[in-house]
Amino acid sequence: MDLIPVPRVALLDEDGRRFTFGPEPLLDAGPGAGPLARWLRRELGAATGWELPAAGAGVRAELRLRIDPDVEWDRGPESYRIDIGPDGAELTGASAAGLFWGAQTLRQLLGPDAYRKAPLPGRTWSLPYASVVDGPRFGWRGMMLDVARHFMPKDGVLRYIDLLAAHKLNVLHLHLTDDQGWRIEIKRHPRLTEVGGWRPRSRWGHRASPLWNETPHGGYYTQDDIREIVAYAAERHVRVVPEIDVPGHSQAAIAAYPELGNTDVVDTAALGVWDDWGITENVLAPTEAVLRFYEGVFEELLELFPAEVSPFVHVGGDECPKAQWKASAVAQERIRELGVDGEDGLQSWFVRHFDGWLAARGRRLIGWDEILEGGLADGAAVSSWRGYAGGIAAAEAGHDVVMCPEQQVYLDHRQAGGADEPMPIGYVRSLEDVYRFEPVPPKLSPEAAARVLGAQANVWTEVMENQDRVDYQVFPRLVAFAEVVWSWQPEPPERDFAWFEGRMAAHYARLEAQGVDFRPPGGPLPRQRRPGVPGRPFEGAPPNV
């Protein structure tokens, strides 16, 4: 069975027998399985033409769905079991989520055409006699999608939720605000999207490129769009983690509301939404008025992302230049009032304020590993991006950690060293490199290792101007990442990449059926290249920090 992620136990019938479905299979959904039954009728029905009517009393259905939380599942609530034999297939989940992940495995077993939007003429459907018992290694299996640098319309986000779910990934971290755009409607501050949602042009390529795309760029999600995204994800057991960046990466907000910036050192009224990449000096002013403004933003955010499906709120907290604070009399007076350790202490004060504010409302703050500087409240979590070091420090200090080191799982980094790689950024991170990524550093104590919630792959979109470019950078490497965070693996050097690569041969056909514009194993197709657009490649192996 060419299953990805590889399950814990997968036993095939030695005689190669298969169960062949008739033209109109019956579906038996036990208590709590109704949502999955609707999903199967919609998604699997589109590919097969099946209506999957409910089985009547005393009739044995070919597809049977059960939730059994009382079974001893050694992989937690997301575990599942599949049994396929002469009377069809039975899926049992320890929870609705486990049952849903079992359905993803069932779909893979049906073959690549099970991912199509309409049935192919003459296609018949069968499953191998088999037993599969499975469950994930980590509870946080995610992807960060940056929609601030290049906006992805709502339908594209919904599509990516489906792609995550198909690979048993269960967290979508949405990077909603940055210097180059504000992407979420805030009703009490409408200029955040009216002004902050649009920029006049964009750098074409890396920030050192001399090229420009002069087409204005922008867009945002209405609050109803966000509600739809969150509900769509919840139906697929994917949590959405929103990110609102503070106090750096905030020029789009300052362009919309100049009073948010350091007005005593910069003419903030003259600032526009930034059209370049990198880190701008324009950061939020450390004033009570700014805190109140962002509290209003977060109040609306919490209503859009309910705690039961989005318990975490990401506040960024990274890459905050201090030059304006050093020059600002207002900032210097605030440092003296608070008694903090200079400008670094001011940044920590900013993050800690929202740490406490969110905790008082039953949410958990998560931020990039710079938020460790100055200390955190007990419930805060850390996204370790500059390497493993921040995550190690956070876990040893008793904080939960999501591992996303840029040297390993930043999917904007190039996939190969060839000259045809489009806009090559960073170190080469091949499919095999991602497959050998290990979220838990060996130097962690057992107690600290238990603090690693999981990992996520980060997709920064400065050089990804549309969905096809995102697809190219993300796939197939996200497939390898999905196996790393779902399946229990040997140590990285001992992982059987050749076996994984062999299973990928079947998985490429699944991606093609889903319309994913992935990077082919032999290198980019001509239309996937970007000749003459500069990147910033680094040579050699990345540092393991």
Side-chain angles (χ1 to χ4, degrees):
M1 288 185 282
D2 295 318
L3 296 175
I4 296 177
V6 63
R8 180 170 65 100
V9 176
L11 301 176
L12 271 175
D13 179 72
E14 292 181 355
D15 297 326
R17 292 175 294 176
R18 301 182 69 88
F19 173 80
T20 300
F21 288 96
E24 196 54 78
L26 301 178
L27 178 64
D28 178 6
L36 179 61
R38 290 192 293 273
W39 182 88
L40 286 170
R41 289 184 174 112
R42 184 175 61 248
E43 301 294 330
L44 203 56
T48 60
W50 297 341
E51 294 185 5
L52 295 174
V59 177
R60 188 136 174 101
E62 292 93 329
L63 280 175
R64 302 176 295 280
L65 311 177
R66 300 288 183 266
I67 295 176
D68 187 357
D70 296 326
V71 173
E72 280 295 321
W73 299 94
D74 64 353
R75 288 296 183 86
E78 294 184 274
S79 302
Y80 68 89
R81 179 185 181 102
I82 301 175
D83 294 292
I84 305 166
D87 58 354
E90 182 158 316
L91 279 66
T92 306
S95 66
L99 189 64
F100 183 77
W101 304 133
Q104 305 311 309
T105 298
L106 184 81
R107 197 177 193 183
Q108 288 195 12
L109 289 171
L110 283 167
D113 289 342
Y115 293 89
R116 298 192 180 277
K117 300 297 185 184
L120 300 182
R123 180 73 161 83
T124 60
W125 301 93
S126 66
L127 291 168
Y129 285 16
S131 290
V132 178
V133 180
D134 200 11
R137 179 184 178 192
F138 293 107
W140 187 301
R141 309 179 301 279
M143 187 186 89
M144 191 285 303
L145 179 61
D146 169 21
V147 295
R149 272 52 175 272
H150 278 102
F151 178 65
M152 180 177 285
K154 180 195 68 179
D155 284 354
V157 176
L158 299 180
R159 172 179 177 266
Y160 257 87
I161 290 169
D162 280 328
L163 290 171
L164 294 182
H167 293 88
K168 300 186 176 74
L169 298 172
N170 67 345
V171 176
L172 174 62
H173 170 178
L174 273 182
H175 184 76
L176 290 165
T177 72
D178 215 297
D179 301 306
Q180 298 87 358
W182 185 286
R183 306 295 178 214
I184 180 170
E185 178 189 28
I186 302 298
K187 290 187 181 295
R188 72 188 72 182
H189 303 306
R191 287 176 58 82
L192 286 172
T193 46
E194 291 171 358
V195 174
W198 307 89
R199 63 175 181 263
R201 62 176 187 170
S202 305
R203 179 78 69 177
W204 185 229
H206 183 262
R207 61 181 177 268
S209 166
L211 306 176
W212 292 89
N213 180 343
E214 298 290 347
T215 304
H217 180 84
Y220 64 90
Y221 310 109
T222 67
Q223 293 201 350
D224 282 344
D225 289 340
I226 292 293
R227 292 185 181 98
E228 180 183 355
I229 288 168
V230 171
Y232 192 90
E235 287 179 352
R236 290 150 181 80
H237 301 278
V238 174
R239 287 180 289 159
V240 184
V241 176
E243 180 179 352
I244 303 291
D245 248 311
V246 295
H249 288 287
S250 299
Q251 185 166 324
I254 297 168
Y257 291 95
E259 65 271 23
L260 297 175
N262 296 281
T263 57
D264 60 337
V265 294
V266 176
D267 180 9
T268 56
L271 293 176
V273 177
W274 207 29
D275 57 10
D276 212 344
W277 315 131
I279 305 171
T280 175
E281 296 286 337
N282 295 299
V283 301
L284 298 175
T287 66
E288 290 298 320
V290 170
L291 294 183
R292 300 294 87 76
F293 182 97
Y294 273 86
E295 286 171 0
V297 169
F298 283 116
E299 282 176 4
E300 294 193 27
L301 194 80
L302 297 190
E303 190 273 325
L304 297 171
F305 294 87
E308 60 270 20
V309 293
S310 300
F312 286 91
V313 174
H314 208 292
V315 301
D318 63 317
E319 296 179 331
C320 179
K322 310 299 193 301
Q324 290 184 5
W325 289 349
K326 288 179 185 293
S328 167
V330 172
Q332 293 304 309
E333 179 60 26
R334 177 48 63 105
I335 289 171
R336 288 189 290 271
E337 289 175 1
L338 297 171
V340 297
D341 184 15
E343 291 77 22
D344 289 340
L346 204 54
Q347 180 177 355
S348 176
W349 163 80
F350 214 114
V351 171
R352 285 180 65 87
H353 173 83
F354 287 103
D355 191 353
W357 190 92
L358 289 166
R361 289 155 180 80
R363 302 303 181 94
R364 295 186 63 187
L365 178 144
I366 186 168
W368 305 112
D369 53 56
E370 286 96 326
I371 70 172
L372 280 170
E373 299 158 8
L376 285 175
D378 290 343
V382 170
S383 302
S384 186
W385 76 274
R386 291 180 293 180
Y388 289 105
I392 292 169
E396 295 288 3
H399 294 286
D400 288 341
V401 174
V402 176
M403 287 293 187
C404 46
E406 64 170 327
Q407 302 86 353
Q408 312 297 328
V409 289
Y410 268 35
L411 300 186
D412 50 316
H413 286 203
R414 59 194 174 129
Q415 302 183 65
D420 288 333
E421 290 301 314
M423 304 188 203
I425 301 296
Y427 295 99
V428 170
R429 293 288 85 192
S430 67
L431 183 66
E432 181 172 0
D433 291 329
V434 175
Y435 191 67
R436 298 194 189 281
F437 164 61
E438 173 50 47
V440 181
K443 64 176 67 174
L444 278 181
S445 67
E447 296 79 14
R451 289 287 187 177
V452 178
L453 300 176
Q456 68 183 34
N458 289 345
V459 182
W460 300 103
T461 60
E462 287 94 334
V463 297
M464 299 181 217
E465 73 277 8
N466 56 33
Q467 179 177 283
D468 288 348
R469 279 287 293 123
V470 174
D471 278 6
Y472 178 90
Q473 292 297 133
V474 169
F475 288 100
R477 292 183 295 180
L478 191 71
V479 183
F481 175 83
E483 181 150 305
V484 166
V485 292
W486 177 277
S487 307
W488 287 79
Q489 297 276 2
E491 292 300 310
E494 300 167 11
R495 294 177 190 173
D496 191 346
F497 178 71
W499 181 45
F500 173 79
E501 200 170 29
R503 286 181 284 126
M504 276 300 301
H507 201 76
Y508 284 120
R510 297 180 192 127
L511 295 177
E512 286 175 345
Q514 293 171 88
V516 177
D517 197 18
F518 58 86
R519 180 189 189 275
L525 301 173
R527 61 174 171 76
Q528 294 173 321
R529 302 168 189 162
R530 296 292 186 274
V533 184
R536 191 190 183 195
F538 296 151
E539 301 302 330
N544 189 12
V545 294

